[in-house]
Amino acid sequence: MTEMVYGSLPVRGGEPVLPKWWRTLDKWTMSAILMLFGIGILLGLAASPPLAEKNGFQPFHYVQKQAVFGTMALVAMLITSMMSPQLVRRLSVLGFVAVFIALLGLPFFGTDFGKGAMRWYSLGFASVQPSEFLKPVFVVVCAWLMAANEEINGPPGRLWSFMLMITVVLILALQPDFGQACLILFGWGVMYFVSGAPMVLIGGIILALFPAAQFAYSNSEHFARRIDGFLDRTVDPTTQIGYATNAIREGGLFGVGVGEGQVKWSLPDAHTDFIIAVAAEEYGVILVWAIIFLYALIVLRSFFRLMRERDPFTRLAGTGLAAIFGVQAFVNMGVAVRLLPSKGMTLPFVSYGGSSLIAGGIAVGMLLAFTRSRPQGQIEDILRGRTR
Amino acid sequence: MIRTPLRPLARILKARDTGENPDTIERENIRQRHEEMRDKSRARAEGRLLLMCVMFLGAFIVIGAQMTILANSEAQEPRASAAGARIVAQRADIVDRKGRILATNLETHSLYAQPHHMIDKERVARELAEIFPDLKEERLVKDFTGKRKFIWIKKKLSPEQKQAVHDIGDPGLLFGPREMRLYPNGTIAAHILGGASFGKEDVRAAEVIGVAGVEKYFDDVLRDPANGDKALTLSLDLTVQAAAERVLYGGMRLMNAKGATSVLLDVHTGEVISMVSLPDFDPNDRPRPPTEGNPSDSPLFNRAVQGLYELGSTFKIFTAAQAMDLGLANASTMINTAGPLQWGKFRIRDFRNYGAQLSLTKVIVKSSNIGTARLAQIIGAERQQDFLRDLGFFEPTSVELVEASGAKPLLPPRWSELSTMTVSYGHGLSASPLHLAAGYAAIANGGKRVVPTLLRRSTPQNGPRVMSESAAREARSMLRQVVTDGTASLGEVPGYAVGGKTGTADKPKERGGGYYDDKVIATFASMFPAHDPKYVLIVTLDEPVETSGPEPRRTAGWTAVPVAAEMIGRIAPLLGMRPDVEPGQLAGITLTAH
């Protein structure tokens, strides 16, 4: 009774790990993630055979690879989600150091796969994109720094996290990988916002984004071409966007039918950046709505659970992870429907890609770890609300 | 905000007194403050997270909505079946003033081959060569068996040819819908319409673009989908144009001329009713521009607009009209015509010696160079230039043809007194027949500047006044007398009171160094009816020679004038003009009061 009233930690000495994990886990979010993974496999069956055929593999080569990587990702997710926030933090800081060094080594040891941007390490059997792994650990490190800032007599963690963010964004922009740089920037911005940024500063930052975009536009041809392509409202039917638009139109409400889609034959990125177009063509807008619903469910549920979280680190880290996860999905789908300029960004857990899948598994594992229900002194809140 | 101090002195001292550890008090206070801070930050974060939730939800809903809209929208891609229909409306028709079609579109097909789909390449090549005699079988076989995957065979097919190709029945032969420009009247008004050709083209459709004439001048308007099917209405009259072409062609042959041109202008509205240039071409099959020879001899050359000629004595009326307008002379003023007029090394002569002096009317009627030159000396170079500039002789005509802007009249480089004298009778200044028509229209309509146009107008132009009404009237009366008892006596058309002025100019040698003595430009500039002119007609023949007499005659009075008279006799009724027949000729009919 005393414990209940005063909300001190209900220690259950020796409670088994798995039952505790199952009891405190956000099972809705995890179901949504598993469903997304299933949809990814389903769409991979449709979208990847053309690529496999082109590269001389048997038709479902990439689906098998996706399944292998997906299993690894799910395992990573499960293990991560069983960790305590403190353990996640410690491992993430170590991981951040490792990934950061890997990022710095990219110009010397990386490969660009002929795509004009040094983003990958080739390991022979697979390629690794360090920036995918950077996102979750970066978010955790920044959340740690920002939370430290809130401690009495704590370090100026916000400033440090800001400098860290600038460094990382610059490194990514030099690759160039503006997509990931924007994600990092966005994730940091959301964490800073939730950690209590002054509203005036937020407005200032939004205003400062315009000259920054201007700078990127005038100094990077890569960036300028994509923006130009977006601003030109006439859809050239022979561009990726044109094919995607056509595919969505063809699909209509219920799709043209499984395996009947044509867009996967003409889109080089059908299995990654434009997989939503394949989904829309073969299964119709119904499936797209389902996918959107799953993403919204994950993001919104996480946010709602984090609202109750009293620990600033856990709250900020969870917020950052959920925001990056959600915005990545938003950008990917926004590009396909021409709401946003073309931006190479994968659809988390659905698009094909080893790195992004495993990194995504780790990220949602962390998210699940941070959104596990913990005693939060709700009774105290209730009591204080009554006295107020 | 009141904060509990971390180490409240009173409590610390009290604790010390009682022997408790004062640090616990501090620790407890720190813990409390920490809790408060977390509460506050959680409350703030709750609000901001809620905001994030709303934003994300909104973003996802927007994506979903956009996806739904897109999925339910109609495909905008041009498809093979719809392509033809889409392009029909793309280029508007061109019609004459009465709405008769001058240019329209016809749906045809192009023929292309995809050899890798062909079954029997040799047979296809053989049968195609049979259908199209201009295709060589060996060449086709070579094309089909080569590496190319796409070959244009014909840009346009007639329906019969299409059926014949269809009957070959090979899957490697394919048709693409084509919109082609059709000029149903053939060569009629060829120079005005110009022509069209394919611009960008692909298998499904091709863009039709104007290459010359009004087709090019109004290319944007004709292709503008916003104009819909609204046709472009020209000022031309198809029947008048056809009659003028026929008569001019006959006249050109009869007078052994190598080229001819005529311009018929409405003197009030400035509309070009007909404009002919011979030789001409068929805009349906527009010839390539000549690569050698003089471009002005090419059928593509529009003599009426692009041709710059010294128009000879037809200019004399401008000198006379200006002198009367300035009050320097009237119709009966006597002008010294004693010749030859010596000016430096240069001598001005008349065709015949007309004696010591002539009245101004007679100067025009007899076409005296000396008299006109003396009059021009009195007017002076400046005033002469001003007058000719007002009439439009210093600038290219603004008529709606792409070729017009390039035809800037050739002026004397230095306008000396000698230039003043020669320009007064039409030498030393080269202008197009259309320029001349505009100048004569100003005299005909009572002294107002006319800017020729090819677009249908219904109202008079009422341009700025360039000469007084009375001067214009006197000038018209002189022009009438030129026909009744002057150099243009063959120009009389019963009932239409033609007035006009002849002009015969020696052609300058192409390589410079003087003039030919057996090559002339013969021009007759006329208006009808002279007492109240409605139309101006210019007829110009290039190198005419009339050989019915004992010796070849080249002057305009023997060449251009009879052609013009024939033309007026044909086209005036078509224009709806009634001949003025004198009442005395109605013999045998008694008019009684009603």
Side-chain angles (χ1 to χ4, degrees), chain A residues 47-48 50-52 54-55 115 238-241 243-244 262-275 278:
Chain A
S48 71
L51 184 76
K54 202 176 82 185
N55 293 350
K115 288 186 187 172
T238 56
T239 57
Q240 297 228 44
I241 297 284
Y243 283 125
Q262 293 304 315
V263 69
K264 56 197 180 191
W265 297 100
S266 36
L267 267 183
D269 286 343
H271 58 301
T272 56
D273 291 3
F274 285 95
I275 194 144
V278 176

Side-chain angles (χ1 to χ4, degrees), chain A residues 11 44 97 132 148 171 207 233-234 266 282 287 314 344 378 380:
Chain A
V11 184
V97 173
E132 288 282 358
I171 291 172
L207 286 182
R233 292 312 302 196
T234 54
S266 36
E282 299 208 348
L287 183 70
T314 312
Q378 292 98 324
E380 256 186 11

Side-chain angles (χ1 to χ4, degrees), chain A residues 23 42 52 70 215 338 359 370:
Chain A
R23 183 173 57 79
L42 180 72
F215 178 81
R338 276 183 74 71
F370 291 135

Side-chain angles (χ1 to χ4, degrees), chain B residues 286-329:
Chain B
R286 189 180 163 87
R288 293 180 177 282
T291 49
E292 54 187 30
N294 194 342
S296 63
D297 290 335
S298 152
L300 294 174
F301 189 74
N302 186 349
R303 288 161 186 268
V305 172
Q306 293 172 282
L308 296 175
Y309 308 109
E310 287 181 309
L311 292 162
S313 306
T314 52
F315 265 54
K316 284 176 182 160
I317 194 66
F318 298 129
T319 311
Q322 189 185 10
M324 290 188 289
D325 182 46
L326 294 170
L328 300 172

Side-chain angles (χ1 to χ4, degrees), chain B residues 259-405:
Chain B
T261 177
S262 76
V263 176
L264 182 68
L265 199 65
D266 185 307
V267 299
H268 298 292
T269 61
E271 291 171 291
V272 176
I273 307 295
S274 122
M275 181 153 72
V276 188
S277 172
L278 296 175
D280 58 7
F281 61 96
D282 185 350
N284 291 306
D285 187 17
R286 189 180 163 87
R288 293 180 177 282
T291 49
E292 54 187 30
N294 194 342
S296 63
D297 290 335
S298 152
L300 294 174
F301 189 74
N302 186 349
R303 288 161 186 268
V305 172
Q306 293 172 282
L308 296 175
Y309 308 109
E310 287 181 309
L311 292 162
S313 306
T314 52
F315 265 54
K316 284 176 182 160
I317 194 66
F318 298 129
T319 311
Q322 189 185 10
M324 290 188 289
D325 182 46
L326 294 170
L328 300 172
N330 59 39
S332 50
T333 306
M334 298 309 280
I335 310 287
N336 180 5
T337 55
L341 173 56
Q342 186 84 27
W343 190 260
K345 286 189 292 180
F346 198 82
R347 283 179 163 191
I348 297 172
R349 303 164 187 280
D350 278 336
F351 196 65
R352 287 193 191 89
N353 188 358
Y354 299 118
Q357 55 179 13
L358 286 173
S359 71
L360 180 54
T361 306
K362 286 289 175 194
V363 166
I364 296 298
V365 170
K366 303 274 185 203
S367 194
S368 165
N369 294 341
I370 298 170
T372 324
R374 288 204 192 283
L375 206 54
Q377 274 183 299
I378 303 170
I379 293 170
E382 297 238 329
R383 287 194 283 186
Q384 184 189 37
Q385 288 180 55
D386 289 344
F387 187 67
L388 292 177
R389 186 177 292 118
D390 286 347
L391 287 174
F393 281 106
F394 276 46
E395 292 299 325
T397 53
S398 60
V399 75
E400 295 84 355
L401 294 173
V402 276
E403 295 85 1
S405 60

